[in-house]
Amino acid sequence: MEIDVNYVAHLARVSLTPDETQKIGSQLGQVLAYMDKLNELDVSLVEPTAHAMPLVNVARPDQITPSLPTEDALRNAPASASGLFIVPKIVE
Amino acid sequence: MPNRLTISELTAKLGQREVSAREAMESCLRRIHRTDRTIKAFLSIDENDSVAQADAADEALRHGANHQEQPLLGVPVAVKDVIAVRNQPLNCGSKVLGHFRSPYDATVIEKLRTAGAIVFGRLNMDEFAMGSSTENSAFQVTQNPWDPSRIPGGSSGGSAAAVVADDCLAAFGSDTGGSIRQPAALCGCVGLKPTYGRVSRYGLVAYASSLDQIGPLAKTVRDAALLLRVIGGHDRRDSTSIPEPVPDYTARLDGQIKGLKLGLPKEYMVGGLDPGVSQAVRAAVEQLQKLGAEVVEISLPHTDYAIAAYYIIATAEASANLARFDGIRYGLRVDANDPIELYCRTRGAGFGTEVKRRIILGTYVLSSGYYDAYYLRAQKVRTLIRQDFLNAFEKVDAIVTPTSPTAAFKIGEKSDDPLQMYLMDIFTISANLAGICGLSLPCGFTKNPKLPIGLQLLGKPLGEETILRIAHAYEQSTSWHKEKPGL
């Protein structure tokens, strides 16, 4: 099975070296071929499971509680100023 | 040397003032200085902070604090590099986090501090917990304490190696598909993956949110039970944590397992299982029978589909969870003229090959045209696997299996073949898909070379008391847990 690794890598926003593209491409083909095992099962009447524990509509009281101060939230930022993250220009 | 003690032994000595928390902490640090240059379990240690915490524990003990109220007072425990500890580095074994330091404590860390523990060190792991050997760490390869040429298992390989090397009294790891139980088996200690939701995931960096759980790696079953009691419980900051009271898991460790029914899944004792492992597990099953447990054969008919379902679901969730590492708010940034290029370059430079492989696989199975064929189908197979376990637990109290099909393999042996590496998780991943609890404990050694073998006990949802009780009865009737590597 061939997949367009560069296309998927772009969707995932990960740049790959030509070596990685080649290697990951052939390994993914193998892995996906193995995944096809799942086609042996008839799952037409089976409901999907997203979470193993049946907790639904978990809500908490709508109360204001202390949260991370801005300066702590910005401390690990690669670039910040005036309480904001600095990013490359988005709008012309 | 206090570092060689179990938690129960150390707290008894601390209570009697036979040893101080400072002495306990310093004995761990001395041990690490002596052995960790080769084992490489730790990524970093803040020694001043560790000693300061120890001194604070000694001060509290002098002022009348006790181990009834603070069961871990003065006990040094170490932490996998995926759990947030305030002001300490948090790298997840990856370069993409750069010089990140946690701005807050994970809930488990808060609970450990409240219980009086000395929380120290950052333990090596496969990058973002993706791996079964700890070889995927961006920083170093951890060695198995029993054989320097072999892997310690993964992804919590640093945690297991540190416990077995007596670098700490216990350690914490995370388990998404076996990442606590498998390294515990391969290094020779106890590793417990709690029921999904038993322990808060707040402050655990997410790999696959519907599968991840934090759990202890310890020298004895009793220690693991105590640690679960401390870290378990509902947390309003994790909406998936279960609002059920936490029992005293140590209360019923009395060696009595007469009348308990254990299931041996016929699908697990077949091809690919190393003969030494098979022999040790069969002997352990006989031992459990001698102790009074009844053993019956059971069937988990969808076992063969677990790895495929797991690697679709886990990678799909990972591809979404790891989108946050984009060079904007924290960690590494590789500059570019526009944001998309910045994301791609940062992630290209920051992630290792296995992480890229899984993000791309996860993105693929979620992408338009493939979602139903892979992701939705895998979620349906997950239902079947979960149902297998619930059916089995109608008949038995716990399930007994090998933890890993082989003992520790050689460093480099499987690193170029991801599918072979994934197949190593065959016995552990189903528990995460089903959300049930599981535990690994030592049940023997291979002969030549001498390497630890793990026995896995799987329990019902919130059935930790039962599997701990069985594990404790087995452990106390054998001497495997007393054997130490010649470091």
Side-chain angles (χ1 to χ4, degrees), chain B residues 213-257:
Chain B
Q213 270 290 285
I214 296 174
L217 294 99
K219 296 176 192 178
T220 65
V221 174
R222 182 174 292 279
D223 285 358
L226 173 63
L227 295 167
L228 180 63
R229 192 183 98 197
V230 169
I231 65 169
H234 180 251
D235 178 11
R236 60 195 297 273
R237 294 173 295 191
D238 175 4
S239 62
T240 64
S241 64
I242 301 172
E244 292 289 334
V246 181
D248 180 358
Y249 293 109
T250 59
R252 293 192 65 201
L253 303 180
D254 53 13
Q256 294 302 316
I257 60 167

Side-chain angles (χ1 to χ4, degrees), chain B residues 160-178:
Chain B
V163 169
V164 172
D166 285 320
D167 294 339
C168 50
L169 276 284
F172 290 86
S174 61
D175 190 315
T176 306

